[in-house]
Amino acid sequence: MDLDLTGRHALVCGASEGIGRAAAHELALLGADVTVLARRAEALQEVAAALPRRNGQQHDWISADVSQTDALRAQAGALASARPVHILVNNTAGPPGGPANTAEVAAFLDTFNRHLVANHVLVQAVLPGMRAAGWGRIVNVISTSVREPIPGLGVSNTIRGAVASWAKTLSRELAPQGITVNNVLPGFTETGRIAQLVKARAEASGQSEASIAEGMRATVPAGRFAQPAEIAAAIAFLCSPAAAYVNGVSLAVDGGRMQSI
């Protein structure tokens, strides 16, 4: 199985912690040069410095806010012009919870901008390098909610679904150029995001956080939350040469929690 990414340059978003950081690590292990992107410069410096290095790999970081579209476009464009990007991992933290029917219009617009619009801006910035190489991998980290909406995450459910449809459309457009576009749908994962959800559900229900977390684990046949590295492993595979014929899929990595096929 060909997993070698030597000579490829990966841009990994949301990489200061959690799934993004784990994905950056896995891609570096496979030989890629990795640039990590998030808002916190100090954290990114630590992440980039800790990435595996062999055979002269060069890792870097970019401090950027995905809600600032023009600045993001300029920063990503400058990076791609200096060092063509062959792998893009789109990964952005989800919005606050709450039902869809009471959500403010501004919440939908802000989340749409941070997720779909930011993803699109990044794709447009890196496509020239992928096309020149005749090879590219775009992986979007979304949510199992694109198949089964998650109660209490009205805004997230809505926008995540839009990102999945956008990605499917791109996968058909870009495949003739040797570029694949896939989505990874993480289940409950031990990250800051799951801690936020547990806290919010506990506050809304009056139950303890421990009780909420245990109830969530009980819905997972595997009986536990995922580790970020387990999600990252799926991302890394989809970015590898071995996954060249995997295109336009939404891959659930959820311990079997979803009941749909």
Side-chain angles (χ1 to χ4, degrees), residues 84-176:
V85 173
H86 311 104
I87 297 166
L88 172 64
V89 178
N90 282 316
N91 174 51
T92 305
N101 70 90
T102 59
E104 298 288 341
V105 170
F108 286 100
L109 295 176
D110 178 67
T111 305
F112 187 82
N113 187 52
R114 290 175 181 273
H115 289 260
L116 197 147
V117 173
N119 289 358
H120 190 65
V121 163
L122 290 167
V123 166
Q124 289 186 325
V126 303
L127 271 180
M130 292 183 178
R131 286 176 170 141
W135 194 99
R137 300 286 187 267
I138 299 167
V139 177
N140 308 294
V141 182
I142 315 183
S143 168
T144 57
S145 67
V146 304
R147 291 188 185 157
E148 296 180 5
I150 299 173
L153 293 179
V155 173
S156 180
N157 293 343
T158 303
I159 304 305
R160 302 288 198 181
V163 172
S165 294
W166 164 82
K168 183 65 174 180
T169 302
L170 281 183
S171 73
R172 297 179 63 82
E173 295 175 352
L174 299 178

Side-chain angles (χ1 to χ4, degrees), residues 165-251:
S165 294
W166 164 82
K168 183 65 174 180
T169 302
L170 281 183
S171 73
R172 297 179 63 82
E173 295 175 352
L174 299 178
Q177 300 162 53
I179 302 166
T180 65
V181 185
N182 293 292
N183 305 316
V184 167
L185 315 181
F188 298 141
T189 308
E190 291 281 6
T191 64
R193 174 65 169 170
I194 201 72
Q196 292 174 354
L197 294 178
V198 168
K199 182 178 180 180
R201 292 184 183 187
E203 291 175 348
S205 66
Q207 300 179 58
S208 68
E209 292 185 22
S211 177
I212 293 294
E214 184 56 35
M216 294 170 71
R217 289 190 198 93
T219 68
V220 183
R224 61 180 179 84
F225 293 160
Q227 294 300 309
E230 294 175 301
I231 311 301
I235 295 169
F237 170 73
L238 291 174
C239 293
S240 74
Y245 207 60
V246 182
N247 188 36
V249 307
S250 289
L251 174 63

